[in-house]
Every structure is written in structure tokens, then in C-alpha cells.
Amino acid sequence: MDWQSHRREAHDLGHMQEFLKQIVYGGNDGIITTFAIVAGFAGAAAEGVAQIGGLAVLVFGLANLFADAISMGMGEFLSLRSQHDLYWTRRKSELHEIAENPQQEQVELFMILRQRGLPAGEADTLADILTRHPSVMADLMMTYEFGMLDPEGESPVMNGLFTFGSFIVFGAIPLVPYFLRDPTQETFWLSVAATFAALVGLGLLRWNATGERLLRTVGETVLVGIICALVAYGVGAIVGG
């Protein structure tokens, strides 16, 4: 069993918890981005929009959905790859500093341990021990001096895929009524209801994964979505009016 499997089993981590950031980030962005297309067309009063109606919503909505999903997924992949590169470059430099000037690094570690609440005697003893183990010392310095966590357990590919998948799955929901019905005012309100349900569902995923208060996790997710949707509708009304 590898370390990641052990960590997941020992702490009862499922994929939803492990990739919660990507699921919420991609899902929320997908819902809002796609509904912005729907709301923008609904808010616009231009004659041309009324003529192409549902087709315009589907064409622009789907094009935007897949283009943004790919962009989000690749962005998450590149972002994490950059974090990996930065971490290992900084850690290599830290190991070099420990080898070249161990006394100075020991003093820095002693000060960090004191700031973390260890008594002076224990901090001095621990810093002296860790100086003889440069790899462990470098890991501690990366965390406490630079605020950088070891990214080895995070896969850029998996993070990117979860962001992409969440964006597609949740982002498609506001478009569902336009696949099933003619583009009418009632269809728009069905899309609003579907969007609201998607935001609630995303909030429930957060609640299930984090165990935080139900009202807060769902309320925050829905509130952010409503604000973004109102902005999109308002812009459509201003531009189309």
C-alpha cells in the first residue's frame, strides 16, 4: 500500500473530500458561467436575440461550457505543476543552505520552534537534532518559514480532470430546459430553478464533505450564485435594452 492510499484510508478520505476544492471551484464556475449566457439572453431585449432564442442559448452556452471547462482544467493543471516546480526548487535551495551554513539554519529553526510555543530548552534540543537530518529539517523549514506544503500528494492531472469534470457536469444543468422545451419565458424560469437546484446540490456536497453547518455551506454557495446571476441578467438588460 502506498502512502497516499494509507493516508486516505487512515483518515477516511474519499475522492470527494480529497478533491473538494476542484469540485466546488469547477462546479460553481460552471453553473455561473453557463447561466450567465442564459441570463444574458433573457435580459437582452434586442430583436435579433428574440428571433434565434433557444438556438443562441444552446450554441453559445455549449461552446462556452466546453471552452471554459478545458481552460479551467488546464489552468488547474498548470497551476499545480508550477507549485510543484516552485516547491522543489525552493526546497533544493534550502537543503543547500543547511549544508553550507548549518549553524545559521539551526538558529532560524530554533526561533521558529520558539514562535510555535516550544520552551527554549526543548526548542534548542530539537533544532540540534533536526540539523543532523537535513531532509526533515528542510521539510519543516518549507512549512514554517515559507508557508509551503509538500505538494507530492497532489496530482496535477487528477486535479485538472476533477475541475474539468465538475465544470461540465454542473455547468450543463442551466441548459437542460432549453434542450427539452421551446425557448419561452417559462423555459427561462425553469433554467433559473435548475440553476438554483444545482447550487443547492453543490452546497450539499460541501456540507457532506466538510461537516460544517448546513445553512452556512449551502447558503454561501447559493448566495454567490445569485449575485453573479443577477449581474449577468442586469448586463444583458442594459446592453439589449
Side-chain angles (χ1 to χ4, degrees):
M1 179 185 297
D2 61 23
W3 165 247
Q4 291 307 312
S5 298
H6 169 74
R7 181 178 67 89
R8 189 179 297 117
E9 290 183 10
H11 296 281
D12 195 26
L13 293 177
H15 283 302
M16 188 174 68
Q17 290 174 311
E18 190 172 0
F19 296 99
L20 180 63
K21 173 190 171 185
Q22 288 72 35
I23 293 172
V24 172
Y25 180 49
N28 187 74
D29 228 38
I31 294 168
I32 300 309
T33 301
T34 308
F35 184 73
I37 300 293
V38 175
F41 275 105
E47 183 179 349
V49 172
Q51 290 176 352
I52 61 177
L55 178 62
V57 172
L58 290 176
V59 169
F60 283 97
L62 288 173
N64 191 71
L65 177 66
F66 282 93
D68 276 6
I70 293 172
S71 176
M72 290 279 292
M74 292 300 296
E76 180 69 18
F77 169 80
L78 293 174
S79 174
L80 191 53
R81 279 291 294 269
S82 298
Q83 289 180 35
H84 279 221
D85 293 341
L86 179 60
Y87 179 89
W88 294 116
T89 298
R90 179 64 260 183
R91 188 177 185 278
K92 182 179 179 181
S93 175
E94 187 65 24
L95 283 170
H96 177 75
E97 291 176 10
I98 293 172
E100 292 294 316
N101 195 352
Q103 291 183 339
Q104 176 61 33
E105 293 300 307
Q106 182 176 338
V107 171
E108 291 183 11
L109 181 57
F110 169 79
M111 294 174 63
I112 290 172
L113 293 172
R114 289 287 289 133
Q115 291 173 354
R116 303 294 297 183
L118 267 68
E122 294 181 10
D124 184 56
T125 300
L126 183 55
D128 181 60
I129 294 172
L130 289 173
T131 304
R132 300 196 293 271
H133 302 276
S135 181
V136 179
M137 183 177 180
D139 289 338
L140 285 174
M141 297 293 278
M142 291 297 295
T143 300
Y144 295 125
E145 184 177 10
F146 302 107
M148 300 176 68
L149 299 177
D150 186 350
E152 186 176 358
E154 294 187 276
S155 166
V157 173
M158 291 302 295
N159 280 22
L161 287 175
F162 267 87
T163 301
F164 172 83
S166 182
F167 193 103
I168 292 291
V169 170
F170 283 96
I173 293 175
L175 297 175
V176 170
Y178 288 89
F179 280 104
L180 303 176
R181 299 171 55 92
D182 292 329
T184 63
Q185 189 67 16
E186 184 180 351
T187 305
F188 167 70
W189 287 113
L190 285 174
S191 179
V192 171
T195 300
F196 180 81
L199 289 169
V200 171
L202 191 61
L204 289 173
L205 281 179
R206 284 184 59 198
W207 169 71
N208 183 63
T210 64
E212 295 294 332
R213 287 183 300 161
L214 177 62
L215 183 61
R216 183 175 74 83
T217 53
V218 175
E220 285 177 349
T221 306
V222 173
L223 180 61
V224 170
I226 289 175
I227 293 173
C228 295
L230 289 174
V231 171
Y233 186 89
V235 171
I238 292 172
V239 174

